[in-house]
Amino acid sequence: MALGLIFFFSLCFTLCFAGNVSYDSRSLIINGERKLLISAAIHYPRSVPAMWLELVKTAKEGGVDVIETYVFWNVHQPTSPSEYHFDGRFDLVKFINIVQQAGMYLILRIGPFVAAEWNFGGIPVWLHYVNGTVFRTDNYNFKYYMEEFTTYIVKLMKKEKLFASQGGPIILSQVENEYGYYEGAYGEGGKRYAAWAAQMAVSQNTGVPWIMCQQFDAPPSVINTCNSFYCDQFKPIFPDKPKIWTENWPGWFQTFGAPNPHRPAEDVAFSVARFFQKGGSVQNYYMYHGGTNFGRTAGGPFITTSYDYEAPIDEYGLPRLPKWGHLKELHKAIKLCEHVLLNSKPVNLSLGPSQEADVYADASGGCVAFLANIDDKNDKTVEFQNVSYKLPAWSVSILPDCKNVVYNTAKVTSQTALVEMVPDNLQQKDGSKALKWEVFMEKAGIWGEPDLMKNGFVDHINTTKDTTDYLWYTTSIVVGENEEFLKEGRHPVLLIESMGHALHAFVNQELQGSASGNGSHSPFKFKNPISLKAGKNEIALLSMTVGLQNAGSFYEWVGAGLTSVKIEGFNNGTVDLSHFNWIYKIGLQGEKLGIYKPEGVNSVSWVTTSEPPKKQPLTWYKVVLDPPAGNEPVGLDMLHMGKGLAWLNGEEIGRYWPRKSSVHEKCVTECDYRGKFMPDKCFTGCGQPTQRWYHVPRSWFKPSGNLLVIFEEKGGDPEKITFSRRKTSSICALIAEDYPSADQKSLQEAGSKNSNSKASVHLGCPQNAVISAVKFASFGTPTGKCGSYSEGECHDPNSISVVEKACLNKTECAIELTEENFNKGLCPDFTRRLAVEAVCS
C-alpha cells in the first residue's frame, strides 16, 4: 500500500465507529449525534480488489461519508445453494473492511433481488429451476432460499463485527428493491410477500435500521426510501421516518446499439441541493463509480460491458471532471450548513412565481438559506433579506450564513479535463511488434455429441440455464435438382423469428447473416437470401443471449431463442422448418475445453500465423504479449472486431460488441442542464459504437507473458486490436467574476459581514504530474469549452504570463480574478471571465 494511503486510512480509522444507530423524522442519529450524510454507490464485483482502496479514497476526497453496495446473490451462490464464493472481486468482507479503514460508513443493500442491470437481477439462475418456484411473491421456495441467503450474509457480517451496533461501519441495511413498481402484478401474494420480507429482515436483529426503497406500503418497522432523478418532494409514509434518497442517478446505463445518455453536472447538483433544501438527510449517488460488468454479469438484456453510468468516478477509476469536482464543492457547502439544518425547522418564503427560499435558523443564532429558481428557462434576480441575488435558471444558491453565496448549482467553478484513450500497440513478450497469433476454428453446428434432439424448438434459456450465451439450433433440408432457383441462379430467402437476443445463421458452414434485438425490444426477425445447393444442406443457427432479464413482474419467465424458421423461394412455395427434427448443442467447444484459461489453452491444436484471418466467423484468437507501458488504466480497443468474448490471463474481460448507435434527434454536442432530466433528454455518441473500449484492470497483467484470448463470432480484424491507456491530456477551467467564491475560512473571517473573497481558477494535475505548459489563457470575454477556447472581444494580453507564473511546474495552482493579476478596466460592461487550458506531464 502506498504511504499516502496508509496515512489516509490510519488518520480516518479512529473517527467514527461503534455505536447505536437510531433515527427520528429529521435524520439518522449515530451515537447520539444527528448526521447529514452523502453516500456513494460502489459495487464490489464491478471493480477489482486492487482498485478498491483508491476508489474509496477518491470518494472520500469528493466529500462522501458513506459507501453503498448491493450484495449480489448470484456471484456468491452461482451454481447451487450448498456452495458460497467470496474470493477475488466477490470478497465482500474485504471491501467493507476497506470502507471501515477509511473512516466511512456503509449501507448494505442485501436485497437479495437487486435489479441493477445485473444478470437475472442478482438472483441465481438455479433457483428458477427449483420446482414450483415463483420469484418475489408469497412462494414457499423463493422465501425459503431468500431468507437462507439473507441470514447467511447477516451472520457473516456479525461474525466480522461489521454492523455499527458492533463497532462496524454498516449503518443501514436494505431488504428487497423497488418492489412497489411490481407488487400489484402479484395480487394479494405480493402484499403478503412485501410484509414478510420486512418482518424477516427486522427479525435478523442487526442493531441497525432496515430500509425498503420504492416500497409504497412499507410497514412501520422499516424506513421507506426514494429512488429517482429528483426526490425533493418525497415524503416517507410514516411521520417518524427520515427522508432518505437511496438512488440519485447521476447518469444512466447503456445498451449495445443505443446512443449514450448524458446528465449534466449542473442538474445533478441541482437535484441534490433541492433534496437537502427540502429536509433530506441521506442522499446516495447510484452510481458514484459504476465500474464494469466483467464476464457475463451484465443483464438487461443488451446492457453493455461498461457500467460507467457517467458517474463522478469513471469506469476506469478516474474522477470525472467537472462532475466529481462540482459535486465535491456542493458537499462542502452542504456540510457548512449541517448543524443548523439538523437542529431547526425551515421557513419557506416565496421570492417569485418559480423562486423560493427555505430558511433554517437555530437557537444559537445560526442561519442557513437555500435560494432556488426552478424556472427552467429564465435567470432571475431575487430580493432576500434586503439583498439582491442573481439566480440562474434551474439552480439553487446555498448561503450558510444567510448572506454569502458559497455555491450555486449552475455555476461550475471546479476544473474540467480532456481524457483520451491513447493507443499502445500490442507487443510480444520479447518487445517485437510482429505478433505471433494463434488461431482455432469452431465448427458451425454440432461439435461432439448432441445435447438434445426434438421436433420443434426449445427455449434457449431453459436449455442452457445460462451456463453460456450460446445455443446451436441445427437441422437439414434436401433440395431437389429441379428447383427453379438453382437453374436461374436465384437465392431462396431464410426467414427467422426469435424471442431474442441475437443470431448468426450458417448454411453449409458459411455465414449467411446476423440479426438481433435491442435494449428496448429483445425479439427480432431475420430475413436474408441464402445459398443452397442441390442435395442435403446443413442449417446451423447460433442463438445468443446478451444478458438475462433483470427486472419486471415475473421476469424469470421471459424466454429467448427461435420461434419460427422458414425458407421461401421453392417451387412449391415456402417451406416451414419449425417442426423439423432439430438437433441442439449447448455452448462452444472452446468454452467447454476452457481454452481461454492458461491451464486449458493447450486443449486444442492452435494454428500459428503472423497474419491472422480477417472477417472469419467462429474464430478463437490468442496471443502472448507484454502489458502496456506506464501505469494509466487500460482499455482494449475492439473497434475493428465484430462481436464476441475476451479474456486476459483467464480473467473475463467480458462481452464486446462495437455495435454502432443510431442517429437520434436528441443527440447533442452540449446538453442544456435546465429542466427535468430523463434518460432520453440528451444523447451523445450518435453514429458511433456504443462501446469501443473494454476495461482491463492493471492488476490482471503480469510483467510479461500475458495471454490474450478472443472469441470472434462473426468476423473482424484482430491485427487492429490495441490496448489504449486512459490519460488526461488537458485540464481546464472557466470562471466568471460573479461565481461564488466564499468558503468556510472566508466566512469565519468575515464574521457578520459579507465575505470579500474573490473568484479564482483552481487547477490540479492527476497522479503527481505537474503543469508543464499553458495552452490557452484569456481574461476578458473568452468563449468555447475545454479543448476549443477562443479569445473574445475583450482580452488581457498578459493572461498567459500571469497563469504561467502561478502554475508552471506545480502540481496545483490558483489564480484569483483580481486587479493585481488582470486588467480590470477591460470590458466594464461585461461579466469578465478567465479561461485556462493547461497540460500536465
Side-chain angles (χ1 to χ4, degrees), residues 254 258-263 310 661-664 666-671 679-690 785:
Q254 301 166 267
N260 299 329
H262 168 64
R263 189 180 186 191
E310 211 184 53
S661 66
S662 57
V663 176
H664 197 282
K666 293 184 179 179
C667 283
V668 296
T669 54
E670 190 165 344
C671 184
D680 64 350
K681 180 181 180 180
C682 295
F683 287 128
T684 60
C686 293
Q688 301 296 317
T690 306
K785 59 183 181 180

Side-chain angles (χ1 to χ4, degrees), residues 434-457:
L435 296 177
K436 295 177 183 177
W437 289 92
E438 295 182 67
V439 177
F440 171 71
M441 288 287 299
E442 285 275 341
K443 179 185 176 184
I446 304 300
W447 51 270
E449 294 296 318
D451 289 313
L452 180 67
M453 288 186 284
K454 185 178 186 293
N455 289 334
F457 299 126

Side-chain angles (χ1 to χ4, degrees), residues 475-483 485-486 492 507-508 530 532-539 567 570-573 575-577 580-581:
T475 192
S476 61
I477 184 171
V478 176
V479 175
E481 295 180 353
N482 294 324
E483 290 294 339
F485 67 77
L486 293 175
V507 176
N508 299 323
I530 59 173
L532 294 178
K533 64 183 180 181
K536 186 177 181 180
N537 293 263
E538 300 290 342
I539 310 294
I567 302 177
F570 286 88
N571 293 349
N572 293 329
V575 176
D576 190 343
L577 281 64
F580 274 35
N581 183 46

Side-chain angles (χ1 to χ4, degrees), residues 778-804:
S778 177
F779 176 78
T781 56
T783 59
K785 59 183 181 180
C786 188
S788 59
Y789 290 133
S790 59
E791 295 174 6
E793 181 179 337
C794 295
H795 166 71
D796 186 337
N798 295 320
S799 299
I800 282 191
S801 62
V802 169
V803 174
E804 287 179 336

Side-chain angles (χ1 to χ4, degrees), residues 147-164:
E147 182 171 10
E148 183 179 66
F149 180 76
T150 302
T151 302
Y152 186 95
I153 294 298
V154 168
K155 285 183 176 178
L156 178 62
M157 298 300 103
K158 287 180 177 179
K159 176 186 174 185
E160 300 292 335
K161 294 182 168 41
L162 293 175
F163 287 108

Side-chain angles (χ1 to χ4, degrees), residues 40 42 54-64 67 104 288 313:
I42 299 175
E54 193 64 32
L55 290 173
V56 170
K57 177 175 179 285
T58 304
K60 190 174 181 71
E61 288 177 350
V64 168
I67 299 297
M104 301 174 76
Y288 196 79
I313 303 176

Side-chain angles (χ1 to χ4, degrees), residues 808-822:
L808 278 183
N809 300 314
K810 295 181 181 178
T811 300
E812 57 185 34
C813 63
I815 311 103
E816 286 193 338
L817 277 64
T818 62
E819 293 182 0
E820 290 78 14
N821 287 330
F822 300 103

